[in-house]
Amino acid sequence: MAAHAPGANHSPARRGRGDRGAVSSVAVGIAVATFVVMIGLSLAASAGYRSSLEPDAHRRFERDAESTHEAVVPQVRALDRLVRSVRDSSDGQLDTTTEAAFRGLVSGQAELADAQGLLSVTIVRRVDSESLTAAEFDAWVEAQRIQLDDENWTVLGPPDVPTRYVATLEYDDGVELSGLDLGVVDEIAEAFATASESPGLTVVAPVNPGLLGNAAATSGQAFALISAIHGEPGAPATAWVFETVSGDAVLAAAGGSGDDLEAVLMLAEEPHPLTTRGADVGPVDFDADDDVARYATLGGTPLELVVTDPDGVLSETSDEPLIVLGAGAALSVLLAVLVYVLARSRDMAMRMVEEATASLRRSEEHFRALVQHGSDLILVADGAWNVRYTSPSVTQLLGYAPDALVGQPLLTAVHPDDVEGIRLKGDGGRGTVEARVRHQDGSWRHFEGVVTDLRDDPAVSGFVCTAHDVSERKAVEQRLAHDATHDPLTGLPNRVLLLDRLEHALALAARDDSHVAVIFLDLDRFKLVNDSLGHAMGDRLIIEVGRRLRRAARRADTVARFGGDEFVIVCESVPDVEEAVRIAGRLVEGIDQTVMLGDQETVVGVSVGIALSIGPETTSEDLMADADAAMYRAKEKGRGRIEVFNDVMRSTVVHRLNTESMLRRALELDELRLHYQPVISLVDQRVVGYEALVRWQHPERGLIGPAEFIPVAEDTGLIVQIGTWVVKESLRQALIWQELDPQDRFIAVNLSARQLTQPDVVEVLRAIIEPLDLASSRLQLCLELTESCLTEDPVATQSVLGQLKDLGVKIAVDDFGTGFSSLSYLKHFPVDVLKIDRVFVSGLRHDDGDSAIVAAVISLGEALGLTVVAEGVETSEQADELYAMGCDHAQGFHFARPMAPDEIVLPADPVPVAREVG
Ligand code: C2E
Ligand code: CA
Ligand code: CA
């Protein structure tokens, strides 16, 4: 070793290492060259010897493979017979597919217990969502729960074969395999579909054994055998027999494959042509890799039995080639070492070895620590996506034993919808992926990670995935998304989600030419529950109705809470309006029963409107508005009805909308007018007051009567504004008349129910009346209310009327006798005037009933001290009769029609002659 030369260019450490490197590389070079030459010679010698032994070993291997085959084939045949017999004995008998039928079937099959390799027999029952009753649905949910809880599985059949009974739901697009204890992989779903197509067919599909519950019994290949049961020929499948078979268990039953050989029973990738005819095929391959493939059929599907010699039968059957090789190698090493020792001192070699080993160990430990203790999942798959390695975190993250997934196709553990994404991302590069992966316990976990394509890297030649579990974050995200789109009280979709689903449904319907139905449902008299029992009870009622609706609706329908006591149901693929009505009928039936609220029994009534999409032009707004209009109509016709939206309603709605906007304009442009109809005292024929009646001076249509626009004004609330205007305007006009001709006179104004329920009705009227000082002008305001105003909410009305009386206002009951209320309210309400409806007046003299009613009202008025006014008096005979009966006042065309203000002549006596107006 050179001394440290002061001022030398190299640092001592550097130079030292350089010297050592130079010396060792020479030493190693010579040693390696010696070793290579020697080992080459030994290999050649060993190979020569080995080839001379080969034919003998081939024959031995072939014999062993043949006997394995002979043991396995009868096992497969026995299974095949069993499968056929289960299938044949089920078909046509299991049309009801009850649990009892299944129990009978399974216990009748004594052979099931002896079947080697059969893991489970499951009857998968089809339940159409259409025909699913609430009880069945519960049972189904229950069944599903049981499926998830390993210990509660019902074992119905022979003790060695776990058997299960599973209900499935069918959706439009196929069969949903709910509750099965395996990953719902594409192959299985396809197998179900294929089996369903031809009766008597058993389809075999691979099952990921790692995903079957009983992992110990199912390493290696496992298969699902599926045959459909058709109640009657040609009808859709009512159930499927679903059996799982373990390839390894079949092999084990056959006595294994001999000490030195390995055998795998699997689905044939490329079946031998003969197997399509159902024949078993002898050895078809014997190649340099030492494996033999044979074929047998199970349920009509070819299985392949591959026997391999993993450790090399040849080398084990004879040691001689090895001895030759071993001796050669030993000699080579000896020589190489000798050469090396000569080249380098022993000391130096040791240090190099130590250094290299230490650094290797450090980096290896570093890497191992990363992989072994990291919380991320590290997974290596080969080019065909079969798992080659999983980091130990697989146990903590996914519940699998450390090597349980090794050898399995990676993508079968991945949610079918996420498979394509991984394939795409992994193909030829590196990309971040998100995927749901099935946990050993059957649940889905969300993973996020990176997949890298290292197929070109000889050290890996496959894919590397690193991923971590983001299920918790996903859950929070889902919770937030859920809250934004669901009603907190009922948990049903809210308005936002409803409109989204409706848009989606309409887009689909436009594509496949079907209809979407919107069912609008509103509780009758919900306000009453809220007011009388309190909001907590109101909430409970809403929750209960939501629950019942969800149960009564079809599975795929969206049941949403639209607000308050309104629910909306969106139904896809509705063939016609009759079906929509049937669905709505079922919904009503589902909720139309009593509900217990506390100790109070409440009857729930609903009014329902239905609208059906017509074609691609139908928008979600149209459909919602139409269903709403139909519901409105149902309420109008009397609660508890179902109404379908039709063209008449459409034109009514259009008319209503037009009228509303025009009416708003009319108010702005001051197009409303008041006409006045005199009220006459029958005693002395003098005018005692006027009733103000509103009209609309339409710029094009001329004078429009109140019947045409008051209902719209009431619906839209415009009546409140109009009513206030009427009071102001009529008082202004009447005060002018009072000045011209001062007398005791009243002005009668009609007040609609909607006005009376305004919280500020008293304040608004007070603000108009008080500054006017009506008393000193000898003018009185009389408010005319209909009977229904008084009966709708008696408690509130009584208090409002009391306050109005305090303002000095008189109260009249209009159209008296046409309502259905009891007369007792007359006693409780501060009423001053009864106005006999004109239908009774018109029947005077020729209808005894009407005459009797008029007489009764007059004497009622007398008894209670109320003024009685007869409306619609058209003839002098009617006037005379009323006078004779003791009626106080009268109003009608006989005396005067409603008139424009400038037609009224004052002083007003004698009574103006009736004439046409407008
Ligand atoms: P109402 O309060 O019963 O008004 C009396 C109606 O009977 C008036 O019809 C009047 O023109 C009509 N009438 C009067 N005498 C006779 C008669 O001898 N024979 C017949 N056949 N009819 C007669 P109009 O003006 O068309 O008003 C209809 C309804 O519109 C009113 O019935 C009232 O309920 C409502 N209305 C009118 N103005 C207003 C208003 O300012 N506010 C509110 N809320 N409703 C109003
Ligand atoms: Ca009136
Ligand atoms: Ca009236």
Side-chain angles (χ1 to χ4, degrees):
M1 169 75 79
H4 300 174
N9 281 339
H10 303 289
S11 75
R14 231 180 163 185
R15 195 172 49 202
R17 206 181 293 144
D19 289 347
R20 214 153 60 202
V23 172
S24 66
S25 63
V26 173
V28 169
I30 297 169
V32 165
T34 313
F35 180 79
V36 166
V37 172
M38 285 302 292
I39 206 89
L41 288 171
S42 332
L43 268 174
S46 152
Y49 191 38
R50 177 192 170 103
S51 68
S52 70
L53 291 173
E54 233 169 31
D56 221 27
H58 282 178
R59 269 191 301 279
R60 233 187 335 267
F61 172 53
E62 210 182 349
R63 223 173 27 240
D64 275 5
E66 187 58 34
S67 68
T68 308
H69 179 244
E70 270 160 18
V72 168
V73 164
Q75 290 294 332
V76 175
R77 287 219 181 101
L79 263 179
D80 190 44
R81 267 195 311 279
L82 183 72
V83 168
R84 284 175 206 274
S85 88
V86 171
R87 182 188 68 207
D88 295 343
S89 67
S90 334
D91 208 5
Q93 286 173 29
L94 272 190
D95 48 343
T96 52
T97 340
T98 59
E99 190 172 323
F102 175 49
R103 196 187 284 269
L105 167 78
V106 173
S107 51
Q109 299 286 335
E111 291 160 271
L112 279 178
D114 306 331
Q116 304 290 342
L118 186 64
L119 289 183
S120 69
V121 180
T122 304
I123 300 291
V124 178
R125 182 192 166 189
R126 160 181 278 168
V127 181
D128 290 336
S129 54
E130 280 282 45
S131 64
L132 200 66
T133 66
E136 278 176 319
F137 182 74
D138 281 347
W140 176 72
V141 170
E142 188 61 18
Q144 209 178 22
R145 208 175 55 70
I146 288 170
Q147 285 296 312
L148 297 178
D149 178 359
D150 214 39
E151 294 180 350
N152 290 343
W153 280 0
T154 357
V155 176
L156 301 169
D160 294 346
V161 184
T163 50
R164 291 152 216 150
Y165 174 77
V166 182
T168 67
L169 280 180
E170 193 200 27
Y171 296 120
D172 290 341
D173 53 349
V175 179
E176 170 98 357
L177 306 176
S178 304
L180 281 180
D181 54 323
L182 52 123
V184 178
V185 290
D186 286 348
E187 287 91 325
I188 301 265
E190 270 169 33
F192 266 88
T194 312
S196 308
E197 271 158 23
S198 20
L201 181 73
T202 299
V203 178
V204 182
V207 187
N208 183 353
L211 297 175
L212 280 176
N214 188 358
T218 54
S219 61
Q221 275 261 339
F223 321 106
L225 285 78
I226 300 165
S227 29
I229 297 172
H230 297 256
E232 34 191 276
T238 53
W240 295 263
V241 179
F242 182 94
E243 289 142 313
T244 49
V245 171
S246 155
D248 282 2
V250 171
L251 282 171
S257 49
D259 288 342
D260 306 324
L261 302 182
E262 238 176 55
V264 183
L265 189 62
M266 56 189 188
L267 281 183
E269 273 176 16
E270 284 163 47
H272 191 272
L274 276 180
T275 59
T276 52
R277 278 179 250 145
D280 297 331
V281 182
V284 293
D285 194 12
F286 181 44
D287 63 19
D289 290 339
D290 298 340
D291 59 305
V292 178
R294 293 152 197 271
Y295 296 88
T297 51
L298 177 55
T301 304
L303 297 183
E304 190 175 3
L305 174 70
V306 181
V307 182
T308 341
D309 170 23
D311 302 314
V313 168
L314 299 178
S315 45
E316 276 190 18
T317 48
S318 166
D319 290 336
E320 283 106 314
L322 258 189
I323 293 167
V324 171
L325 187 66
L331 246 161
S332 317
V333 171
L334 240 147
L335 246 162
V337 168
L338 214 91
V339 168
Y340 183 78
V341 166
L342 282 175
R344 282 313 313 147
S345 76
R346 181 179 168 277
D347 192 39
M348 212 168 177
M350 282 308 286
R351 212 172 332 143
M352 275 175 59
V353 169
E354 267 166 29
E355 246 177 55
T357 320
S359 110
L360 208 87
R361 192 177 296 137
R362 266 196 309 280
S363 73
E364 196 201 297
E365 273 167 5
H366 183 65
F367 174 74
R368 195 194 303 273
L370 269 181
V371 172
Q372 300 288 109
H373 303 299
S375 58
D376 281 15
L377 177 62
I378 299 167
L379 196 146
V380 182
D382 65 17
W385 293 100
N386 291 315
V387 176
R388 274 204 330 234
Y389 168 80
T390 55
S391 59
S393 51
V394 73
T395 307
Q396 207 214 326
L397 291 169
L398 290 169
Y400 297 109
D403 286 334
L405 290 180
V406 172
Q408 303 304 321
L410 168 66
L411 299 179
T412 50
V414 173
H415 194 284
D417 294 349
D418 300 337
V419 166
E420 199 51 33
I422 296 182
R423 276 192 208 282
L424 285 177
K425 283 285 167 54
D427 197 17
R430 177 186 164 84
T432 47
V433 287
E434 258 192 57
R436 282 156 289 176
V437 181
R438 198 186 275 282
H439 190 277
Q440 210 262 333
D441 68 12
S443 64
W444 291 109
R445 298 295 160 93
H446 283 268
F447 274 81
E448 197 177 80
V450 177
V451 51
T452 314
D453 184 353
L454 292 177
R455 280 178 296 184
D456 292 343
D457 182 340
V460 179
S461 60
F463 298 97
V464 175
C465 311
T466 55
H468 53 281
D469 189 331
V470 293
S471 303
E472 253 167 64
R473 195 192 77 208
K474 279 279 165 196
V476 172
E477 279 172 9
Q478 276 168 2
R479 172 95 242 149
L480 288 176
H482 181 273
D483 287 353
T485 50
H486 288 78
D487 168 45
L489 185 63
T490 57
L492 293 174
N494 64 12
R495 199 180 271 255
V496 177
L497 185 55
L498 167 82
L499 291 176
D500 188 64
R501 296 252 177 98
L502 180 53
E503 296 279 353
H504 191 71
L506 283 171
L508 282 183
R511 244 184 286 151
D512 65 8
D513 233 27
S514 67
H515 300 284
V516 178
V518 168
I519 301 179
F520 209 113
L521 201 142
D522 187 295
L523 301 193
D524 294 336
R525 298 196 178 84
F526 176 66
K527 201 174 152 339
L528 205 68
V529 172
N530 245 355
D531 290 351
S532 55
L533 301 179
H535 285 268
M537 290 298 170
D539 283 356
R540 273 172 63 179
L541 180 63
I542 293 289
I543 292 170
E544 180 57 23
V545 169
R547 220 175 58 80
R548 290 182 184 179
L549 277 176
R550 188 55 272 174
R551 286 176 141 224
R554 306 181 308 172
R555 275 280 281 179
D557 295 345
T558 299
V559 177
R561 179 165 179 223
F562 198 59
D565 59 344
E566 293 173 331
F567 294 86
V568 171
I569 295 91
V570 172
C571 310
E572 287 178 52
S573 319
V574 175
D576 49 31
V577 80
E578 283 75 23
E579 181 59 23
V581 172
R582 265 196 294 280
I583 295 172
R586 275 202 295 274
L587 292 175
V588 172
E589 228 169 76
I591 45 176
D592 215 9
Q593 319 145 9
T594 51
V595 176
M596 286 304 290
L597 294 175
D599 47 8
Q600 190 93 16
E601 203 182 54
T602 309
V603 179
V604 195
V606 284
S607 299
V608 181
I610 300 176
L612 210 65
S613 68
I614 299 166
E617 307 84 42
T618 312
T619 67
S620 58
E621 292 86 22
D622 287 350
L623 213 51
M624 288 298 300
D626 291 357
D628 186 30
M631 188 280 291
Y632 189 86
R633 184 90 191 94
K635 279 241 188 280
E636 269 180 351
K637 280 198 176 171
R639 301 153 198 255
R641 300 178 62 105
I642 297 177
E643 280 289 324
V644 179
F645 184 82
N646 57 33
D647 284 346
V648 177
M649 277 183 222
R650 190 185 303 279
S651 58
T652 318
V653 171
V654 170
H655 176 72
R656 213 189 274 275
L657 286 176
N658 283 343
T659 314
E660 182 191 344
S661 64
M662 281 167 63
L663 201 54
R664 276 182 205 284
R665 241 172 48 96
L667 268 168
E668 275 162 28
L669 300 178
D670 212 9
E671 288 174 358
L672 296 185
R673 301 281 178 271
L674 286 181
H675 282 194
Y676 299 89
Q677 185 174 36
V679 179
I680 312 299
S681 162
L682 284 172
V683 180
D684 56 11
Q685 308 283 299
R686 289 159 89 75
V687 175
V688 289
Y690 296 93
E691 178 176 2
L693 294 157
V694 71
R695 274 101 183 84
W696 177 2
Q697 188 63 55
H698 195 279
E700 284 133 40
R701 294 173 54 202
L703 203 65
I704 301 178
E708 250 186 81
F709 63 90
I710 288 289
V712 178
E714 282 182 333
D715 283 355
T716 56
L718 274 177
I719 191 69
V720 176
Q721 220 178 323
I722 293 176
T724 308
W725 176 81
V726 171
V727 173
K728 270 193 207 154
E729 173 58 20
S730 59
L731 287 175
R732 188 192 64 79
Q733 179 62 62
L735 285 174
I736 294 174
W737 291 331
Q738 289 305 93
E739 225 155 86
L740 285 174
D741 176 27
Q743 283 195 38
D744 288 331
R745 208 179 260 124
F746 65 82
I747 188 88
V749 172
N750 295 285
L751 213 66
S752 74
R754 182 109 186 217
Q755 278 174 276
L756 200 69
T757 51
Q758 292 297 305
D760 61 350
V761 59
V762 177
E763 288 322 304
V764 169
L765 287 170
R766 188 200 306 279
I768 300 172
I769 297 168
E770 268 183 356
L772 297 177
D773 189 13
L774 299 178
S776 67
S777 313
R778 300 172 68 183
L779 183 66
Q780 257 199 327
L781 177 63
C782 179
L783 296 177
E784 297 193 356
L785 308 170
T786 56
E787 276 172 285
S788 56
C789 286
L790 303 176
T791 49
E792 192 87 318
D793 188 356
V795 182
T797 311
Q798 198 170 1
S799 123
V800 169
L801 292 189
Q803 295 175 59
L804 291 177
K805 288 289 288 184
D806 292 345
L807 291 177
V809 168
K810 287 210 176 300
I811 307 291
V813 183
D814 206 352
D815 308 339
F816 187 71
T818 55
F820 306 98
S821 52
S822 84
L823 292 177
S824 69
Y825 68 84
L826 286 180
K827 212 173 73 189
H828 301 297
F829 290 129
V831 171
D832 306 283
V833 181
L834 292 183
K835 298 191 77 172
I836 306 177
D837 194 75
R838 64 167 177 271
V839 295
F840 306 118
V841 173
S842 64
L844 273 181
R845 300 181 71 118
H846 51 81
D847 184 322
D848 293 347
D850 286 351
S851 303
I853 288 171
V854 172
V857 175
I858 291 170
S859 55
L860 184 72
E862 241 164 49
L864 295 173
L866 309 178
T867 306
V868 177
V869 183
E871 287 192 293
V873 178
E874 292 183 344
T875 63
S876 56
E877 289 81 6
Q878 288 168 350
D880 293 345
E881 180 92 11
L882 285 162
Y883 175 68
M885 291 167 102
C887 184
D888 309 299
H889 298 162
Q891 183 183 347
F893 296 169
H894 168 62
F895 304 106
R897 288 184 176 258
M899 293 174 285
D902 56 10
E903 294 175 294
I904 303 247
V905 184
L906 285 170
D909 295 323
V911 166
V913 180
R915 52 198 151 116
E916 293 291 328
V917 171

